[in-house]
Amino acid sequence: MKIEFIERNYKIPSRLKEVITDKVNRLSKYFGDDAKVKVLCSEQNKIQKLELTIVNKGMLYRSEVESDEMYNNIDLALPKIERQIVRHKDKKIAKNRVKEIGAFEFIKEAPEEKLPEVFKKKTFELEPITVEDAKDYIDRLGHEFFVFLNAETGKVNVLYRRKDEKFGLIEVNY
């Protein structure tokens, strides 16, 4: 596994890098040597945040945790990642490896495999609007996201409210 460390307002001590590398490498039994791991450590207002992203053969596993201690964060992030791997064991990439392994590294038992059903279906016409209008719709409707046709680019966009109350914009290419 190839591990890349990224620091944002936080200097990763060499001991923490060793601990993270050791623990993340325990997940290599699911992936082999092809996996790429990105570990982003940041700090804001004395809250330390760890984002762990693993990409392997088209599959993406991601965990984001916050606490007052980065060493705790790695112990919170890895079980989340392992649950995602086990949950997606029916995907052809991880399927055989999960069956071979049997014992888990960071979780005690396999998570339930029940997928939620589609609860509601909506169909609507996309009218061209600006990003500013989409922000207004999110606020007025009380939604967390809004799908719209961007009047400036002519592309389908998804505007969403992030955890930090800022907005994110996804532009769909098709």
Side-chain angles (χ1 to χ4, degrees):
M1 294 175 72
K2 298 172 190 101
I3 302 174
E4 173 188 1
F5 290 93
I6 301 169
E7 301 170 332
R8 286 204 188 129
N9 296 330
Y10 181 84
K11 175 72 176 140
I12 304 173
S14 59
R15 177 67 185 134
L16 179 60
K17 281 186 180 182
E18 291 172 15
V19 169
I20 291 173
T21 302
D22 180 53
K23 289 188 176 193
V24 167
N25 278 329
R26 289 166 53 187
L27 293 175
S28 66
K29 65 183 182 180
Y30 296 113
F31 304 112
D33 295 333
D34 297 341
K36 294 179 183 168
V37 181
K38 186 170 19 173
V39 180
L40 183 130
C41 297
S42 62
E43 183 172 22
Q44 187 173 0
N45 299 330
K46 297 186 181 181
I47 300 293
Q48 297 180 354
K49 180 174 168 183
L50 177 104
E51 296 177 34
L52 184 64
T53 307
I54 301 175
V55 178
N56 184 54
K57 297 181 182 176
M59 292 296 293
L60 177 103
Y61 305 94
R62 187 172 186 286
S63 178
E64 180 179 318
V65 293
E66 295 178 340
S67 75
D68 57 350
E69 176 63 40
M70 198 61 76
Y71 286 92
N72 293 339
N73 287 345
I74 191 66
D75 292 331
L76 296 171
L78 288 170
K80 287 183 176 185
I81 294 281
E82 191 171 32
R83 273 194 287 290
Q84 290 174 30
I85 295 166
V86 173
R87 221 180 285 131
H88 292 99
K89 72 180 184 215
D90 292 334
K91 304 287 183 189
K92 64 182 178 182
I93 293 160
K95 183 179 181 179
N96 294 331
R97 288 198 184 269
V98 172
K99 286 181 182 175
E100 292 170 6
I101 307 253
F104 304 115
E105 288 294 327
F106 301 101
I107 58 176
K108 293 181 179 23
E109 60 185 42
E112 194 173 311
E113 290 187 39
K114 184 179 178 185
L115 293 174
E117 295 179 24
V118 175
F119 178 73
K120 187 175 186 179
K121 180 181 174 183
K122 283 188 175 182
T123 304
F124 55 94
E125 296 288 322
L126 292 178
E127 295 291 328
I129 63 170
T130 65
V131 174
E132 291 302 316
D133 289 339
K135 286 180 189 177
D136 186 47
Y137 281 129
I138 285 179
D139 287 335
R140 284 191 288 129
L141 297 171
H143 290 174
E144 295 298 312
F145 69 94
F146 188 75
V147 180
F148 65 101
L149 183 62
N150 191 322
E152 297 163 0
T153 65
K155 294 185 177 182
V156 174
N157 286 190
V158 178
L159 185 71
Y160 63 95
R161 188 181 310 275
R162 297 166 31 109
K163 289 179 186 175
D164 61 5
E165 295 299 314
K166 295 179 182 173
F167 289 101
L169 182 69
I170 299 171
E171 186 172 86
V172 180
N173 291 321
Y174 50 95

